[in-house]
Amino acid sequence: MNSDIFKKGAKTAPHRSLLKAAGLSDRDIQKPFIGIVNSHNDIVPGHIDLDKIAYSVKQGVLAAGGIPFEFHTIAICDGIAMGHDGMKYSLASRDLIADSIECMVRAHRFDALVFIPNCDKVVPGMLMAAVRLDLPSIFVSGGPMLSIDNTGTYADLNSVFEAAGAFANNKISKEQLCEIESVACPTSGCCSGMFTANSMNCLCEAIGIALEGNGTIPAVYSERRRLAKLTGETIIDLLKNNITARDIINEKSIRNALIVDMALGCSTNTVLHLSAIARECEREFNLELVNILSAQTPTLCKLAPAGLYHLQDFHQAGGIYSLMHEIKRLLLLDALTANGRTIGENIKSKFIKKKDIIKKFDSPYARDGGLCVLFGNIAPNGCIVKRSAVDPGMQVFSGPARVFDSEESAYSAIISGKIKKGDVIVIRYEGPAGGPGMREMLQPTSALVGMGLDTSVALITDGRFSGATRGAAIGHITPEAALGGPIAYIEDNDIITIDMNKKIIQNTDFCSSVIEYRQKHTKLKTTTNLTGYLKKYVKLLTE
């Protein structure tokens, strides 16, 4: 076992002495040491109950003959961090999470790992760590929060952001806004739509690193606690059979995850995270693959923000395994999973329980997948849009640019009525280096919805969007403005053309002479006065 290096032999007596100081007996020391990686804290709704999940995991580990050791990593709530400088730390925290786990595991030589994430950057950060460490590993999330009927509609966090936009436009009263904010997030768990956190927790099932139900069992269900206990038991089986993280998370399973992503209509951020995980696997991730798989994969679900259904509804319809059974002709069914069986074996007997929530392969919501990558003279290296959440009338669109160098300035223009139908909002210097930290921008996109402009205004950015965003919101434009990407040279009233059918995004005013002139006469905005972690993060990005 990995932990034998400090448990066996006379020379490790000091190590055993320290273990006994932690309460272990001689018999305990002989058993496998299982690290329980927990992101529990008291401020993030998706994480406040992870102590209970960890307790159940420990019960499972103990019952199966292992010794659990819980340790913690950080978790940022994107909703609370939204719209201010706190959001600069969100994506940057993904690498810090992976690094901190690596430090703990390498130093303490655990034999296997159970990861307990829930929210946006925690899941991919832990997945990156799992691949990097390549020990027997399994995931169990805290699960989604419920969405409760509020006068005929099921609200979620996105409802509150959109209501704030509606209030700014005098469409609802302060009392109505307060009512929505009081009912939209009724339980613990990660926000209830197919936003980034739920997208990644569902894709853990598709990858095979988590057991069935990981992405869909609501946080407050006792079924979630039972899943956690089973996960704790299962890690001992993985250890006995020497099935490590890279046996499960690899090129084959990442491809399966992308296909499920397309059918499910996940957040655009999943591409950002899957590519990072692929890099940890030392595998190439080509953005063109997204469009190739999208062309083959129909959209079978329209969960919030693309539709009215939430994760609790998707769970009742059969969840990820039922969806995977419906698209099994596209999947690599021999991919190994955390229960020791293949994807094909796991989904063999599954079926759709509610066909209004999960459509059949031959009668989908759309013939192609939920995400698409656009290329053009604005984004020569690509950009991403959640096409399944875009109004059909906006999928081919052209309009004059309205250029802003920060999220705040764009948001101010939207709520003050300066954005008109037919405009294309351009928000730049919000990329990983330029932001820094590539902030999510749910405030401006929700404000567009609240102002009634989401079906007549497009928004493009070198930053990114919350999984809760809907509308013609195109993000991740690369290269970013801070690194001299073409988006830095867009000017007000340039005509921006978007064609999601042809996968094209263009500035029709760009030509070689215009670009050359603007490059000579445009001073790129730089980040200054950075301190602490962000200073280190930007340095790593730009070295």
Side-chain angles (χ1 to χ4, degrees):
M1 290 190 295
N2 202 36
S3 60
D4 285 348
I5 195 169
F6 63 80
K7 294 197 304 189
K8 290 189 174 182
K11 69 176 183 179
T12 62
H15 304 74
R16 292 194 297 273
S17 180
L18 289 169
L19 292 172
K20 289 177 179 179
L24 273 67
S25 66
D26 287 325
R27 187 175 179 183
D28 291 335
I29 293 171
Q30 295 173 20
K31 296 177 181 180
F33 282 13
I34 311 300
I36 312 296
V37 189
N38 196 352
S39 52
H40 168 260
N41 62 47
D42 289 337
I43 190 169
V44 184
H47 295 250
I48 58 175
D49 285 337
L50 294 190
D51 55 337
K52 301 179 180 65
I53 298 297
Y55 177 80
S56 296
V57 168
K58 291 177 189 177
Q59 285 185 312
V61 169
L62 289 166
I67 300 296
F69 294 90
E70 183 181 356
F71 65 92
H72 291 76
T73 188
I74 62 171
I76 290 174
C77 177
D78 280 19
I80 296 174
M82 195 75 65
H84 56 86
D85 281 351
M87 180 51 75
K88 294 180 179 181
Y89 290 86
S90 178
L91 181 61
S93 75
R94 185 185 69 180
D95 299 274
L96 190 57
I97 289 164
D99 292 347
S100 67
I101 295 168
E102 177 190 354
C103 291
M104 281 294 292
V105 174
R106 294 286 193 217
H108 299 103
R109 301 289 295 224
F110 295 110
D111 298 304
L113 300 167
V114 179
F115 293 86
I116 308 176
N118 217 26
C119 290
D120 295 34
K121 310 311 163 300
V122 187
V123 185
M126 287 188 177
L127 286 167
M128 290 162 64
V131 172
R132 189 183 302 175
L133 295 162
D134 198 27
L135 293 171
S137 301
I138 191 169
F139 278 57
V140 57
S141 75
M145 66 172 67
L146 293 176
S147 177
I148 294 175
D149 186 3
N150 176 43
T151 62
T153 61
Y154 283 81
D156 52 49
L157 178 65
N158 198 32
S159 307
V160 192
F161 276 99
E162 292 179 0
F167 175 73
N169 197 30
N170 297 315
K171 289 188 174 181
I172 62 172
S173 66
K174 185 177 180 179
E175 290 73 23
Q176 289 173 307
L177 177 61
C178 289
E179 180 183 359
I180 293 170
E181 77 176 56
S182 297
V183 301
C185 299
T187 70
S188 63
C190 50
C191 301
S192 55
M194 189 48 70
F195 312 144
T196 304
N198 288 322
S199 294
M200 290 306 302
N201 284 327
C202 285
L203 293 189
C204 282
E205 286 187 60
I207 288 170
I209 199 67
L211 301 179
E212 182 181 10
N214 176 73
T216 60
I217 299 170
V220 294
Y221 283 14
S222 297
E223 186 182 359
R224 172 66 54 181
R225 299 283 294 276
R226 297 196 298 272
L227 177 68
K229 185 174 183 181
L230 178 60
T231 299
E233 295 170 353
T234 303
I235 192 60
I236 302 299
D237 294 331
L238 289 172
L239 178 60
K240 288 177 180 176
N241 294 316
N242 194 30
I243 298 173
T244 68
R246 290 198 185 197
D247 292 324
I248 297 171
I249 306 173
N250 48 46
E251 196 168 26
K252 187 180 295 186
S253 63
I254 290 173
R255 183 185 179 93
N256 280 344
L258 271 173
I259 292 168
V260 171
D261 193 329
M262 297 301 153
L264 191 51
C266 291
S267 163
T268 55
N269 289 317
T270 56
V271 176
L272 189 73
H273 298 321
L274 288 173
S275 62
I277 295 161
R279 284 195 298 272
E280 291 286 353
C281 293
E282 299 174 67
R283 293 290 184 268
E284 182 183 355
F285 188 96
N286 190 335
L287 276 178
E288 291 283 6
L289 181 62
V290 175
N291 286 340
I292 292 169
L293 295 179
S294 180
Q296 300 170 3
T297 310
T299 300
L300 302 187
C301 296
K302 274 193 176 289
L303 305 179
L308 299 177
Y309 296 117
H310 290 81
L311 263 292
Q312 64 205 41
D313 306 305
F314 182 50
H315 181 63
Q316 292 171 357
I320 290 295
Y321 277 17
S322 294
L323 175 73
M324 292 179 79
H325 182 269
E326 190 60 28
I327 57 172
K328 63 182 183 292
R329 70 192 78 177
L330 303 175
L331 300 172
L332 300 173
L333 297 176
D334 60 340
L336 187 64
T337 74
N339 62 14
R341 296 189 289 272
T342 65
I343 283 288
E345 291 170 328
N346 285 340
I347 67 174
K348 186 176 181 180
S349 61
K350 302 301 176 180
F351 59 94
I352 299 171
K353 298 176 182 177
K354 292 190 174 184
K355 295 177 184 177
D356 56 331
I357 298 173
I358 305 175
K359 295 289 188 180
K360 299 290 288 182
F361 191 96
D362 295 327
S363 55
Y365 283 105
R367 292 292 172 187
D368 50 8
L371 301 181
C372 74
V373 177
L374 310 179
F375 296 91
N377 62 15
I378 293 174
N381 295 343
C383 56
I384 303 171
V385 61
K386 185 172 183 175
R387 186 176 179 178
S388 60
V390 179
D391 184 89
M394 291 292 292
Q395 296 189 12
V396 178
F397 186 78
S398 184
R402 298 289 177 259
V403 183
F404 303 93
D405 286 348
S406 70
E407 175 190 1
E408 288 85 355
S409 57
Y411 178 71
S412 177
I414 293 167
I415 63 172
S416 62
K418 295 178 182 177
I419 301 300
K420 308 300 181 185
K421 290 182 179 181
D423 286 346
V424 178
I425 299 170
V426 179
I427 304 178
R428 60 192 179 193
Y429 295 105
E430 290 288 4
M438 204 179 189
R439 293 189 290 176
E440 285 187 345
M441 300 184 199
L442 186 54
Q443 278 198 330
T445 56
S446 297
L448 287 173
V449 175
M451 302 285 283
L453 295 172
D454 57 307
T455 59
S456 59
V457 170
L459 193 160
I460 69 173
T461 181
D462 56 5
R464 62 194 177 91
F465 297 109
S466 165
T469 291
R470 59 188 170 106
I474 300 165
H476 305 202
I477 287 177
T478 53
E480 62 173 293
L483 301 181
I487 190 174
Y489 308 111
I490 299 174
E491 295 183 355
D492 279 338
N493 296 313
D494 283 359
I495 300 301
I496 309 299
T497 298
I498 299 160
D499 191 328
M500 298 180 196
N501 298 324
K502 295 180 179 179
K503 313 296 189 292
I504 292 172
I505 182 167
Q506 297 277 19
N507 182 341
T508 60
D509 286 270
F510 274 178
C511 63
S512 57
S513 60
V514 169
I515 287 287
E516 185 178 349
Y517 177 84
R518 292 184 183 179
Q519 285 175 332
K520 287 181 178 179
H521 294 84
T522 301
K523 185 177 180 180
L524 297 180
K525 179 183 173 184
T526 58
T527 52
T528 57
N529 302 320
L530 292 177
T531 60
Y533 181 59
L534 283 183
K535 184 176 181 179
K536 297 175 186 176
Y537 181 74
V538 171
K539 184 178 179 181
L540 288 172
L541 285 172
T542 54
E543 280 181 341

